[in-house]
Amino acid sequence: MKKHLVLITLFSILLVSSCKEKSKESLSKDSNEPIVEVNDVRRVEPPFWWTGFKNTSLQLLVKHSGIGSYNAEISYPGVTIEKVHTADSPNYLFLDLKISETVQPGKFNIVFSKDSTSKLFQTYELKAREQKAEDVIGFNSSDAIYLITPDRFANSNPNNDSFEQLNEKGIDRKNNYARHGGDIEGIASHVDYIKNLGFTAVWPSPLLTNDMPSGSYHGYAITDYYQVDPRFGTLEEYKELASKLESNNMKLIMDQVANHCGLEHWWMKDLPFKDWVNYQEHYEQNKANWSSEIVKRSSHRRTTNQDIYASKTDKKEMTDGWFVKGMPDLNQRNPFMAKYLIQNSIWWIEYLKLGGIRQDTYPYPDKDFMSDWAGAIMKEYPNFNIVGEEWSSNPLLIGYWQDGQKNTDGYDSNLRSTMDFAMQEKIVAGLKNKETWGTGLKEIYVALANDFHYKRPLDILVFPDNHDMSRIFTQLNGNIVDTKMALSYLATIPRTFQMYYGTEILMNDFDKPGDHGLIRTDFPGGWNGDAVNAFTGENLSIEKKEMQNYISKLMNFRKHSKAIHDGKTMHFAPEKNTYVLSRFSDDETIVHILNKNEQPFDLKLDRFNELGLDGKTLKNVFTGETITWSNTLTLNHKGSYLFTTKL
């Protein structure tokens, strides 16, 4: 009798177990029973996907101990596994999926089987897209972008300042290279401030996890490409920030890094392939004693991308070398790495409804990959925009990276926008240098004349400074008038405009010019107990309030000026310490004047008859006063003047 009871019990257990397995494997969409959601596998990336992409392929990175010896199956209408790839590490599989155009959103289980008794189940989801691809609109020349270093902007949630499981713990506002506690909520809670200044887009430096032992605040040493750093907040808060900006007719630009990751990235502990990162063998042989002296660093000779005489050695040292010892250089020539990075960018665009991507260190990765990367994104989102960082004073190099450029090597980047470091440099030089035949305002004039080289000058991104260079106020030796001249000129030329947080209150790095930690100073008022609050104006100095007001007038005027957004441009060679530039459309003409004369000066206007302004009334954007464009215009002080025919 006891024997019968034991057999019955064993049979019952097997029956229940069998039912559970069948339930796990109940994958058919035709079944009315929901699947049993199971997450046996350590990591699958992308973590979910969407239906309705033009590219119907999807490659899943699967990470789990010993997963390389498993087979994979999916039984879901419209989803098929085309190929299963093993890696050099036994702990990875890469699954090539085909997703039909008619597939329905839903969840299904991926079944990994080693034998009849060893099975793992992983629930995966295809989501419905929330908007049409053509409705994903990228930033353009009508936008003014506000760049933020999130850790230094505002700390609205002190509860997320530190986490025990992360390498760098705590905050120390007295240390310019430590965490200070700024977060996503801090940005979201001050969207109104940014909007009232007249900005239409926000670009935070990377918000993804940087689990590095030190210096993790800046965000450029990413250790997980699908995870928001918990010290900044949550994935949901990131999405809420994007939604809040969208509801205010503003755009979120994501700072991405395809060239390198952080040394503490999870895959550095178990690299999937022998060529996942550049100089991988050298790293693995020396990682026990890894240092700045041992690492093979990039030469930073970015001209090797265009140089028709460049040696293979120079090209390799540039693209394959690590940026710094703590940032492994990713090998985009590995097809699995390439696919991973492309899908990651598309995932974030779709999830956050991004208004653009800023791609860090654009000339450093494999340039053929970068063309494929940008091309894949623009194919899915034809109205999107990407700006690449090319830190060069040479317009030839800047123009090379813009799509449509007729490069002699036939290279087309598929990149709509690049960054105008050349213009930034010349504006600073032109304002600081004395007026001679070839220096001073002439340097700025010639810099704009170089636009003949650019395919679309309007799409080039211009800026007074950024998170990697001295503040514009510092560069111009603390001269407020020159700082205003630089800003007004940059805001009116045919470009997309970007400004770094704090420029509106004359933030500077005088104590240690060029020091990154000092450049990225805390924004006053972003922390409880701050003596000065620049958000409200409390205890803010008169000159800083006046600069805030200046920026607000300039940016809010720019926001509504079609002539600046996409109008035609005409400028006149500088004479007698003045430089006149005009932008004009069917319904508006604006005139911008840079005046270096220290004493009142009468500018004769007959030289500018081509503008067709004779007898017309124009308004001074900054003072509200009106003038009649006639014989002369009295410029009472050194500085910038901005006039519009819109009264």
Side-chain angles (χ1 to χ4, degrees), residues 432-446:
K432 292 171 69 173
N433 291 339
K434 290 182 179 180
E435 293 300 305
T436 69
W437 172 255
T439 63
L441 295 174
K442 285 88 171 176
E443 295 174 83
I444 304 174
Y445 165 77
V446 170

Side-chain angles (χ1 to χ4, degrees), residues 198-212:
F199 289 88
T200 61
V202 175
W203 155 21
S205 56
L207 290 161
L208 304 187
T209 298
N210 273 227
D211 191 13
M212 300 293 286

Side-chain angles (χ1 to χ4, degrees), residues 26-54:
S26 177
L27 310 170
S28 174
K29 195 66 180 172
D30 298 331
S31 172
N32 293 324
E33 294 295 324
I35 66 164
V36 176
E37 293 192 30
V38 189
N39 295 290
D40 290 339
V41 176
R42 180 180 173 188
R43 186 184 293 270
V44 175
E45 292 181 345
F48 52 83
W49 200 245
W50 293 266
T51 61
F53 282 113
K54 293 177 183 176

Side-chain angles (χ1 to χ4, degrees), residues 487-494 554 558 564 581 583 590 592 642:
L487 289 163
S488 64
Y489 183 79
L490 288 164
T492 52
I493 60 176
L554 177 63
R558 188 187 192 283
I564 293 179
L581 174 139
R583 305 290 309 283
I590 69 137
H592 183 270
L642 181 57

Side-chain angles (χ1 to χ4, degrees), residues 25-29 73-77 79 108-111:
E25 296 186 65
S26 177
L27 310 170
S28 174
K29 195 66 180 172
E73 296 178 17
I74 293 174
S75 178
Y76 187 80
V79 179
F108 54 88
N109 280 331
I110 307 173
V111 183

